[in-house]
Amino acid sequence: MQQGHPRHKQLSRARHEMVMHRRYMFGRKINAGLFNFVNGIGRLANDLAGAIGKCLAAKPHKPTPEIKDIYSEMYKPKGLMQIVPPKFNK
């Protein structure tokens, strides 16, 4: 008399292999994620050190030259006009 399905052994083995495959893929994704995280932290530290080095090696800031008022120079009268108020008390 037959006990269970004839393909029971094959099906249970396939189920077990699928469970093992899922575990393997999960571990692989976790490992890849950790690897990317560590690489990102390393790149961040490297870029930060480079930026600090560039800031330290930069030349000191030059003071900006005085900005001239071009508009008022354009509309100045050509002759020098000076209005002198009259003196009432002598």
Side-chain angles (χ1 to χ4, degrees):
M1 185 168 249
Q2 182 178 346
Q3 298 291 321
H5 197 278
R7 291 185 58 211
H8 174 74
K9 188 174 183 181
Q10 183 184 5
L11 291 173
S12 68
R13 180 71 189 157
R15 225 177 278 121
H16 174 71
E17 285 180 4
M18 199 63 207
V19 167
M20 296 305 288
H21 175 72
R22 285 191 190 122
R23 282 185 195 167
Y24 169 74
M25 293 306 291
F26 178 73
R28 192 168 156 190
K29 287 180 182 179
I30 294 292
N31 192 22
L34 286 174
F35 181 77
N36 289 339
F37 176 75
V38 171
N39 275 357
I41 295 294
R43 285 183 188 164
L44 175 70
N46 193 13
D47 290 347
L48 188 62
I52 290 172
K54 285 180 185 177
C55 286
L56 293 176
K59 295 178 182 176
H61 181 69
K62 294 180 183 177
T64 55
E66 193 173 317
I67 299 171
K68 294 181 180 177
D69 189 9
I70 299 169
Y71 182 81
S72 63
E73 284 186 12
M74 282 173 54
Y75 292 99
K76 274 185 186 172
K78 297 294 180 191
L80 186 63
M81 295 173 59
Q82 186 177 12
I83 300 171
V84 180
K87 293 182 181 176
F88 296 110
N89 297 338
K90 285 190 180 185

